[in-house]
């Protein structure tokens, strides 16, 4: 197969590229660094020539509702229109577990993106996954104040980005399935404890304070709104195994 990966240089996208190549597929990376602009459509027609399936993992660093929604909806509309013209038969979108349960701006933007894909002309599959193990690093990087590490309380069931990439390629290899089953990590974690363990693994010995963020949507997250349902597919690698397996990473893109 010829598979195009939108956001193929990102946290999950790079794994999609690696897995697809390992399985013998021809891969096209849709990213500005490869001469493709998902907003303007520049380079898309050439990149999608002969493509069988597109996997969309493109992301944006902003958590502002208007900015994130504009990116997700515009990029999806541009991508889907180019796919329809090129005769692409399958669009696979990565989304997030629980986004219809939490009034959080970034999640509302992803929900708007899902609606664009569902209403498009290209047969589609949407995979909702839980937060990645890198999520702890993202939150830690945003919440260091005067030598003190703040750690927000939130129930989560983090999954390895590599395993998300494997599942996305698997879905792309098959016909469009609509809503795929959720994907989550092997066990529930408390985000504040993940941040604490990450800080210690990085050699930081300062105080780590668990807090309840007053932001819109965080109450629901503290009560488990972004945990997977009972029929979710569970991954293999735990957060502690991820911590032990690789050099420390920087903050990941928003999730």
């Amino acid at each position: 197969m010829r598979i195009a990966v939108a956001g193929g240089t990102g946290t999950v996208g790079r794994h999609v590229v690696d897995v697809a190549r390992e399985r013998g597929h021809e891969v096209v990376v849709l990213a500005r660094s490869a001469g493709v602009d998902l907003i303007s459509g520049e380079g898309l027609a050439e990149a999608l020539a002969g493509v069988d399936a597109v996997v969309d993992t493109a992301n944006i660093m902003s958590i502002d509702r208007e900015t994130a929604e504009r990116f997700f909806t515009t990029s999806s509309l541009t991508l889907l229109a180019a796919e329809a013209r090129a005769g692409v038969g399958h669009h696979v979108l990565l989304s997030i577990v629980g986004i219809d349960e939490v009034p959080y701006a970034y999640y509302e933007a992803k929900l708007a993106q899902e609606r664009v894909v569902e209403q498009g002309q290209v047969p589609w599959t949407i995979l909702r996954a839980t937060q990645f193990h890198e999520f702890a690093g993202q939150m830690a990087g945003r919440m260091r104040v005067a030598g003190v590490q703040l750690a927000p309380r939130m129930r989560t069931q983090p999954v390895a980005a590599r395993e998300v990439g494997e599942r996305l390629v698997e879905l792309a290899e098959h016909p469009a399935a609509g809503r795929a089953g959720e994907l989550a990590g092997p066990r529930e974690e408390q985000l504040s404890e993940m941040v604490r363990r990450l800080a210690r693994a990085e050699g930081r010995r300062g105080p780590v304070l668990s807090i309840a963020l007053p932001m819109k949507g965080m109450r629901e997250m503290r009560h488990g709104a972004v945990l997977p349902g009972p029929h979710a597919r569970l991954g293999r690698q735990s957060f502690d195994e991820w911590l032990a397996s690789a050099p420390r990473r920087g903050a990941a893109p928003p999730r």
Side-chain angles (χ1 to χ4, degrees):
M1 291 180 65
R2 184 173 170 87
I3 298 176
V5 185
T9 59
T11 302
V12 171
R14 62 188 176 86
H15 289 295
V16 175
V17 170
D18 290 344
V19 172
R21 286 176 174 159
E22 289 166 11
R23 295 187 183 182
H25 300 301
E26 182 181 357
V27 177
V28 179
V29 175
L30 306 180
R32 286 185 177 177
S33 59
V36 177
D37 190 317
L38 297 177
I39 300 298
S40 69
E42 181 182 357
L44 266 179
E46 297 81 4
L48 293 178
V51 164
D52 300 293
V54 170
V55 177
D56 186 2
T57 66
N59 205 357
I60 185 171
M61 293 295 288
S62 176
I63 58 172
D64 173 71
R65 164 70 184 272
E66 184 176 344
T67 302
E69 184 167 331
R70 186 186 310 115
F71 171 80
F72 286 129
T73 58
T74 302
S75 63
S76 289
L77 286 167
T78 302
L79 188 52
L80 289 164
E83 290 173 22
R85 290 191 294 269
V88 175
H90 191 184
H91 182 93
V92 182
L93 174 67
L94 174 61
S95 192
I96 309 169
V97 167
I99 57 175
D100 43 7
E101 303 292 333
V102 179
Y104 176 54
Y106 182 82
Y107 288 4
E108 291 170 342
K110 285 296 290 184
L111 200 56
Q113 183 185 33
E114 288 188 355
R115 289 194 291 267
V116 167
V117 171
E118 291 169 347
Q119 295 165 9
Q121 301 177 41
V122 181
W124 54 273
T125 301
I126 294 175
L127 172 67
R128 286 185 175 183
T130 53
Q131 288 72 30
F132 315 135
H133 295 318
E134 288 88 347
F135 185 58
Q138 172 205 335
M139 297 305 293
R142 289 179 178 173
M143 304 189 69
R144 292 184 193 126
V145 181
V148 176
Q149 177 66 71
L150 303 180
R153 292 198 291 272
M154 168 184 166
R155 295 174 67 191
T156 182
Q157 195 159 325
V159 63
R162 165 76 187 198
E163 294 174 8
V164 178
E166 292 170 352
R167 180 60 175 147
L168 287 167
V169 173
E170 180 184 356
L171 291 168
E173 291 171 334
H174 293 83
R179 293 275 178 178
E182 296 174 339
L183 178 64
R187 67 173 184 244
E188 182 181 336
E189 300 278 0
Q190 173 54 243
L191 177 59
S192 60
E193 286 304 311
M194 290 169 61
V195 171
R196 186 185 307 277
R197 301 203 298 273
L198 175 66
R200 299 304 179 242
E202 291 177 339
R204 291 187 283 117
R205 300 302 171 190
V208 179
L209 302 182
S210 175
I211 62 171
L213 288 177
M215 296 166 49
K216 183 179 179 182
M218 287 306 298
R219 178 180 179 277
E220 289 83 354
M221 293 187 203
R222 286 195 296 274
H223 288 84
V226 295
L227 294 177
H231 303 297
R233 176 185 292 204
L234 301 185
R236 304 176 301 278
Q237 186 185 52
S238 70
F239 178 70
D240 286 334
E241 289 169 338
W242 176 82
L243 270 182
S245 69
R248 295 282 52 78
R249 303 152 170 83
R255 181 68 183 140

